[in-house]
Amino acid sequence: MSPAAFILIRMNATPPTDEELVSRVCRDQSAFEELHRRYDARLRGFLKTLNHSPSAIPDLSQETWLKVYTHLGKGNPFEGNFRGWLFRIGENTGKDMLRKRKALPLADDADPAERDQKWRPDAEDTAQLQHCFGDLSDREREVVRWRLEGQSSQDVANTLQITPEQVYATFNRAKTKLQTCLGATKDQSCSP
């Protein structure tokens, strides 16, 4: 086959799926590079929604891709949705970084009680919120979490493999349940 014919055939071919690329990662470095090219900008955008400083995003992205490469070397550790799996690793890597940052000692002039009031709801509010979130289905909790983290309905739909309309309906149903539950909890706590 002539080089021109090979190029013409390759130009008409559909790009490989994520699953095809994943299956080739161990023996073909270009497969991993293609996954990185496809998703790195989206991953960085997602990491920004997790309230990380812009200067931390490159390190988080690099750490996430390192974990992905390590896991892919052990086989196919996800079920069909590479993007969702990648974002989950990014989310967990970001949480790890935030935990490490919180573990740093406070400045001498910082009042720990004042900092706690700024960052945490009181125990009663936390208990009410946990109770109300417990009343949501797993799907509703997942949609609420992703939407509150700034993901678009389309991104959530792609990650959860549902339609954007289902995301919208699920989010609104969960929001109504939470409002009802929180309102009922507050009404009960105010009753004589």
Side-chain angles (χ1 to χ4, degrees), residues 17-146:
T17 65
D18 293 344
E19 289 75 22
E20 291 170 337
L21 291 171
V22 165
S23 69
R24 295 184 355 221
V25 163
C26 289
R27 60 186 189 281
D28 181 5
Q29 181 64 31
S30 66
F32 185 75
E33 291 168 0
E34 175 62 17
L35 288 169
H36 186 272
R37 186 193 63 72
R38 283 183 188 180
Y39 290 110
D40 191 52
R42 292 181 195 168
L43 174 64
R44 288 173 185 246
F46 171 70
L47 293 171
K48 287 178 188 175
T49 67
L50 300 177
N51 295 324
H52 291 288
S53 68
S55 62
I57 301 301
D59 290 338
L60 280 172
S61 175
Q62 182 177 7
E63 184 69 24
T64 300
W65 284 107
L66 180 62
K67 288 177 181 180
V68 166
Y69 189 77
T70 302
H71 288 295
L72 289 178
K74 298 174 184 174
N76 186 351
F78 65 95
E79 293 182 17
N81 187 344
F82 175 79
R83 182 176 175 266
W85 180 71
L86 168 68
F87 280 29
R88 183 65 52 108
I89 291 176
E91 177 182 19
N92 291 338
T93 302
K95 286 179 181 178
D96 290 345
M97 179 179 272
L98 288 174
R99 273 189 222 104
K100 289 176 187 173
R101 208 182 299 159
K102 286 181 182 179
L104 295 175
L106 297 172
D108 291 337
D109 59 344
D111 178 11
E114 183 179 313
R115 188 199 73 175
D116 286 346
Q117 287 178 350
K118 288 182 183 177
W119 288 95
R120 295 185 188 131
D122 65 23
E124 183 180 333
D125 288 341
T126 301
Q128 289 173 348
L129 196 54
Q130 285 176 341
H131 168 75
C132 293
F133 263 94
D135 290 344
L136 299 179
S137 70
D138 290 342
R139 173 62 52 93
E140 289 168 337
R141 278 193 296 274
E142 194 75 6
V143 167
V144 168
R145 182 178 59 82
W146 284 95

Side-chain angles (χ1 to χ4, degrees), residues 1-11:
M1 177 183 307
S2 72
F6 177 76
I7 291 171
L8 186 58
I9 290 171
R10 184 66 188 145
M11 288 175 54

Side-chain angles (χ1 to χ4, degrees), residues 73 138 152 155:
D138 290 342
S152 70
D155 287 343

